[in-house]
Amino acid sequence: MYTPPFTVSAKAINLIADIAGLIERYAIRLEQEDGLLLRKINRVKTIHSSLAIEGNKLSEDEVRDIIDGKTVVAPIREIQEVKNAIATYELFSQLDAFKENDLLRAHGVMMQALVDNAGHYRRGGVGVFGEQGLVHLAPPADRVPMLMGDLFDWLKHSNDHLLVRSCVFHYEFEFIHPFIDGNGRMGRLWQSLILGKLHPLFEHLPVENMVYANQQAYYDAITASTKAGESGPFIDFMMQEIYNALKAHQGKPLKNKQVPGVPNKVPNKVPNRLRMLYPDISNACWEVYLQIKATPHATTSEIGLALDISDRMVRKHIATLRDCRLIERVGGNKMGYWKINK
């Protein structure tokens, strides 16, 4: 059986032990009452970060709006990239990280309408270019099927720890660069899928967000491994990022988390005359009204975090307030805000 060249450093061994301890703590964290909201927030961060690394300029709010089915004014290709990523990540539980055909299937969804041969390995040469010119010349196209077949065979049958295998696969995948486009986002997705074999929580851990925040270090680790002829430096980097991502999500429930610019408790009270005029409006809806009054430029997700309710419920309450003409929209979907009517 072919074995990719790699070394596991003392740092990586220590991180494996540390990550194992954090996994169970994060699993418990996801079972708290705000777990569903946390999963949604992390999915938005995952999709936004993975595409931003590839040059997509849509904001987290715009990605969230697309997920929620709202209209976003932006370049068609960037919107298509987000829609494709949403559809691909929705397949997460259906994809087997050890099956090569599932990789091709996922690429077909991820790159639909973006490249001509989505779901198929490239038929021509490809290189990775940086500011200094050519950084990496990928293997010839006619070798790709064999190289990917060997890589999947090793992934499935190796006795190495899944954390190690996920990092090695990610690096080797980027080195082979099997597709004409979409290799970066597919490599990060597939590492998460492999980690999902270790624990299902990795579907909801935004490792991509950590990579995005350390994008240059990510590329430097790939370059260092290429120069070394083995993926040891990349293993160290990704292990640290996984550890950092888990560590960052050991905090308090979202309802105790202060959102910048949005107070958790708004001191103002709804005037009695309004309550008498609109007796059918719920207390939860009035709380949204007060949040808008206190911070009119807050996003629906920020209001939801402050009140510990879902983004969908915030939008529902806003619709109620709008229909009662208690609030009105000033400006468009992207740059506008809700205004309290006097």
Side-chain angles (χ1 to χ4, degrees):
M1 181 181 72
Y2 168 77
T3 301
F6 66 92
T7 57
V8 182
S9 67
K11 174 184 178 181
I13 292 172
N14 290 331
L15 283 169
I16 289 173
D18 293 339
I19 288 169
L22 291 176
I23 283 175
E24 291 308 318
R25 291 174 61 187
Y26 186 53
I28 294 171
R29 174 70 185 82
L30 286 175
E31 293 304 317
Q32 295 182 20
E33 61 181 355
D34 63 345
L36 185 61
L37 180 58
L38 180 61
R39 287 181 174 92
K40 179 179 179 180
I41 291 171
N42 286 352
R43 176 57 55 83
V44 171
K45 288 181 179 294
T46 294
I47 292 173
H48 169 260
S49 297
S50 192
L51 294 179
I53 293 171
E54 306 301 326
N56 189 298
K57 292 182 172 55
L58 294 184
S59 67
E60 276 191 29
D61 281 344
E62 288 171 322
V63 170
R64 185 181 298 106
D65 284 344
I66 293 173
I67 290 176
D68 291 338
K70 294 183 65 177
T71 300
V72 171
V73 179
I76 294 176
R77 181 180 177 88
E78 295 194 346
I79 293 175
Q80 185 68 45
E81 285 180 338
V82 173
K83 289 182 176 179
N84 288 358
I86 293 168
T88 307
Y89 278 91
E90 287 178 348
L91 292 174
F92 198 99
S93 61
Q94 303 174 34
L95 297 171
D96 188 336
F98 293 161
K99 291 184 177 179
E100 188 175 0
N101 284 340
D102 279 12
L103 174 76
L104 297 173
R105 176 190 175 193
H107 184 265
V109 177
M110 184 73 83
M111 301 307 294
Q112 180 183 9
L114 298 176
V115 295
D116 293 334
N117 59 338
H120 300 277
Y121 291 139
R122 58 183 168 87
R123 302 186 184 93
V126 67
V128 179
F129 292 85
E131 295 180 358
Q132 306 282 324
L134 182 66
V135 175
H136 170 62
L137 181 62
D142 59 1
R143 294 188 60 204
V144 168
M146 179 194 70
L147 292 172
M148 290 303 299
D150 286 346
L151 184 58
F152 269 97
D153 187 54
W154 169 81
L155 173 66
K156 186 174 182 178
H157 297 104
S158 171
N159 292 321
D160 292 291
H161 196 285
L162 274 168
L163 280 165
V164 174
R165 276 187 276 170
S166 74
C167 296
V168 173
F169 184 95
H170 188 164
Y171 169 76
E172 292 290 331
F173 180 91
E174 300 303 340
F175 182 86
I176 297 169
H177 238 60
F179 300 111
I180 192 66
D181 195 11
N183 293 287
R185 64 199 79 172
M186 286 301 301
R188 291 184 289 275
L189 166 66
W190 221 254
Q191 177 161 17
S192 293
L193 272 172
I194 297 169
L195 290 171
K197 294 280 188 178
L198 180 63
H199 198 291
L201 69 79
F202 282 100
E203 180 180 354
H204 310 291
L205 182 72
V207 175
E208 285 91 342
N209 198 43
M210 298 292 180
V211 173
Y212 177 49
N214 299 282
Q215 191 171 346
Q216 188 55 53
Y218 171 72
Y219 290 123
D220 289 345
I222 292 177
T223 300
S225 289
T226 301
K227 288 181 179 179
E230 54 95 12
S231 55
F234 188 74
I235 294 172
D236 286 348
F237 172 77
M238 285 306 304
M239 288 276 202
Q240 187 67 56
E241 293 306 303
I242 294 168
Y243 173 84
N244 291 344
L246 283 165
K247 190 72 173 177
H249 288 79
Q250 304 296 311
K252 297 178 181 180
L254 292 176
K255 65 180 179 181
N256 294 327
K257 181 178 179 180
Q258 181 67 33
V259 180
V262 181
N264 276 340
K265 294 183 178 180
V266 179
N268 305 47
K269 293 183 178 180
V270 179
N272 288 332
R273 63 178 180 80
L274 283 181
R275 288 187 178 274
M276 293 176 63
L277 286 172
Y278 303 95
D280 294 332
I281 293 182
S282 66
N283 288 334
C285 192
W286 284 123
E287 288 181 0
V288 172
Y289 173 87
L290 291 175
Q291 289 287 351
I292 292 173
K293 184 177 181 180
T295 53
H297 290 276
T299 65
T300 55
S301 61
E302 289 172 340
I303 293 173
L305 287 176
L307 298 177
D308 192 26
I309 60 176
S310 70
D311 186 69
R312 182 180 64 83
M313 287 305 300
V314 173
R315 294 180 188 277
K316 179 181 177 181
H317 293 320
I318 284 177
T320 299
L321 296 169
R322 179 201 61 211
D323 292 344
C324 292
R325 298 187 178 181
L326 289 166
I327 61 174
E328 64 176 298
R329 187 71 178 176
V330 177
N333 288 333
K334 185 175 181 181
M335 301 300 293
Y337 63 95
W338 290 104
K339 172 190 172 185
I340 297 292
N341 284 329
K342 303 298 184 183

